[in-house]
Amino acid sequence: MLKKTILLENKASLTATNLQIVIKTEIRESAISIEDIGFLVIDHP
C-alpha cells in the first residue's frame, strides 16, 4: 500500500481523534487515517 505525504504550508490546526489526523484550516477540514500517512511535513514560520 502506498503511504501519503502530507505537506502543510499554511496556518492549520492538527488534532488526532479515532486513529485519524484532523487538519483544520480557515477554508476546510479534512480527516486522514493515521495508518495511511508516510510523512507529515510542516513548513510554516
Side-chain angles (χ1 to χ4, degrees):
M1 174 189 304
L2 293 174
K3 301 288 184 172
K4 295 180 181 179
T5 299
I6 309 298
L7 173 63
L8 299 174
E9 293 182 314
N10 297 316
K11 183 178 176 182
S13 170
L14 295 174
T15 57
T17 56
N18 298 329
L19 298 176
Q20 293 187 333
I21 295 288
V22 179
I23 303 168
K24 295 180 185 176
T25 64
E26 295 175 354
I27 300 170
R28 66 187 233 187
E29 179 177 332
S30 300
I32 303 168
S33 177
I34 290 176
E35 63 185 23
D36 292 341
I37 298 174
F39 293 98
L40 178 62
V41 181
I42 301 172
D43 181 22
H44 188 4

